[in-house]
Amino acid sequence: MPAREPDCSCGRGPSVAQGKWYGVRSYLHLFYEDCTGASPDWDGDGSSPHGAWAPLIWKVSLSTGTLFLLMGATALAAGSLVPPKLEGIGEEEFMVLDVQAVRYNHVLGTCRLVGMALCAAAGMLGAV
């Protein structure tokens, strides 16, 4: 029995290219994949080579971006809302430098910097 030509007007796909026609399964694949403009790179089981990773990458980047945004906002709030300590104690002639207050104020500045960096990273992940 000679191979029948498919009735699809688009005329492309693996069944048409090889000149073979295999009944209902081939007809459904031709109708749903070939004629609707689906990618010819798909496997026989219906899964795409890049399509399986796209939702996973999207979910991971969204959750990581949200986590970075929350941590960045917390660090930025802690660095900005906590009042700094006085570093110098005393009068003009006798000034004592409080080393712990200097370290404390440096940590607050670092918190603000890390918070801004985390918020920027969250923004980039959100854009991706």
Side-chain angles (χ1 to χ4, degrees):
M1 182 179 242
R4 294 184 2 183
E5 289 296 320
D7 294 332
C8 182
S9 63
C10 63
R12 62 186 178 110
S15 299
V16 175
Q18 295 172 358
K20 298 177 184 175
W21 193 251
Y22 293 114
V24 175
R25 178 171 163 78
S26 295
Y27 174 75
L28 291 176
H29 281 290
L30 180 68
F31 181 76
Y32 286 112
E33 292 176 2
D34 296 339
C35 292
T36 58
S39 173
D41 297 329
W42 287 34
D43 294 347
D45 61 350
S47 63
S48 171
H50 344 272
W53 288 101
L56 181 65
I57 291 172
W58 179 79
K59 289 175 185 177
V60 167
S61 66
L62 182 67
S63 61
T64 305
T66 303
L67 180 66
F68 281 2
L69 183 64
L70 291 174
M71 288 174 37
T74 303
L76 195 58
S80 299
L81 297 177
V82 174
K85 291 185 177 179
L86 294 175
E87 296 176 358
I89 301 171
E91 296 182 17
E92 293 178 16
E93 293 179 14
F94 184 70
M95 189 68 126
V96 177
L97 183 65
D98 189 3
V99 178
Q100 289 179 346
V102 171
R103 287 185 193 145
Y104 178 80
N105 291 341
H106 181 68
V107 168
L108 288 179
T110 304
C111 279
R112 284 190 297 266
L113 183 66
V114 167
M116 286 188 286
L118 284 173
C119 288
M124 283 190 274
L125 281 173
V128 167

